[in-house]
Amino acid sequence: MDKGATTLKKLCELDFDAIEAYEEAMQRLEDKDIADKLAEFRSDHMTHTDTLNKFLKARGEDVVEGPDSKRVLTEGKVVIADLLGDKAILKAMIANEKVTVKAYKEASDNDALSPDEKTEIASFYEDEQRHHDWIKTQSEKL
Ligand SMILES: [Fe+2]
């Protein structure tokens, strides 16, 4: 597996990790409006995994079906399951968005990726920045 494919695979695993964290957060949040917005963000992550898998397939690589067993997110599903209160949950989600923003930013500069792959990744980077900023603003209101 070359560098480009490894980058796509890692991003896809990270997105699956994020999806699990979102699901846990959505179940635990008391504020249903925030939970609804997180559901919307979760679908962005699902679009990411679909597209990244399409790229992996086109490269002749296996598709990714879930997060890496090591889990990259430090504030992932397991941590969120133990948190109490919307503010604490949103704080964990902000930490996760920082990880995904960073990963997509790095990938958008990765020359091992094709122009098409880079274009999609640049738009996913924007998704992550939008998720981060929205959650941060909400958390400051609580
Ligand atoms: Fe996100």
Side-chain angles (χ1 to χ4, degrees), residues 4-58:
T6 306
T7 300
L8 297 171
K9 181 174 179 248
K10 287 209 167 126
L11 286 174
C12 199
E13 287 169 347
L14 180 60
D15 273 301
F16 275 114
D17 203 351
I19 289 168
E20 285 190 344
Y22 272 90
E23 280 167 359
E24 191 66 39
M26 283 155 57
Q27 278 176 29
R28 303 185 65 83
L29 281 165
E30 271 177 36
D31 186 320
K32 291 304 159 204
D33 291 334
I34 297 177
D36 285 349
K37 194 74 182 173
L38 291 196
E40 199 184 303
F41 294 165
R42 182 189 56 157
S43 1
D44 291 334
H45 284 274
M46 288 166 163
T47 304
H48 298 178
T49 58
D50 286 348
T51 307
L52 294 166
N53 271 332
K54 192 187 77 192
F55 286 142
L56 282 166
K57 237 180 177 172

Side-chain angles (χ1 to χ4, degrees), residues 22 45 97 100 128 131:
Y22 272 90
H45 284 274
E97 298 297 345
T100 50
E128 293 315 311
H131 297 175

Side-chain angles (χ1 to χ4, degrees), residues 9-131:
K9 181 174 179 248
K10 287 209 167 126
L11 286 174
C12 199
E13 287 169 347
L14 180 60
D15 273 301
F16 275 114
D17 203 351
I19 289 168
E20 285 190 344
Y22 272 90
E23 280 167 359
E24 191 66 39
M26 283 155 57
Q27 278 176 29
R28 303 185 65 83
L29 281 165
E30 271 177 36
D31 186 320
K32 291 304 159 204
D33 291 334
I34 297 177
D36 285 349
K37 194 74 182 173
L38 291 196
E40 199 184 303
F41 294 165
R42 182 189 56 157
S43 1
D44 291 334
H45 284 274
M46 288 166 163
T47 304
H48 298 178
T49 58
D50 286 348
T51 307
L52 294 166
N53 271 332
K54 192 187 77 192
F55 286 142
L56 282 166
K57 237 180 177 172
R59 285 170 168 261
E61 303 287 349
D62 291 339
V63 297
V64 175
E65 279 161 6
D68 182 77
S69 56
K70 286 189 289 273
R71 300 288 198 282
V72 189
L73 292 179
T74 45
E75 310 282 320
K77 178 188 163 189
V78 179
V79 172
I80 293 176
D82 279 338
L83 295 177
L84 281 182
D86 286 6
K87 192 147 181 124
I89 294 168
L90 292 187
K91 203 176 148 221
M93 290 305 283
I94 293 167
N96 291 336
E97 298 297 345
K98 284 193 163 74
V99 175
T100 50
V101 166
K102 186 169 176 277
Y104 272 105
K105 184 180 194 315
E106 283 169 7
S108 63
D109 288 331
N110 188 331
D111 287 328
L113 299 172
S114 74
D116 278 358
E117 290 166 345
K118 274 191 174 180
T119 305
E120 292 285 2
I121 281 167
S123 90
F124 299 167
Y125 171 43
E126 284 174 18
D127 287 342
E128 293 315 311
Q129 285 177 304
R130 184 166 44 84
H131 297 175

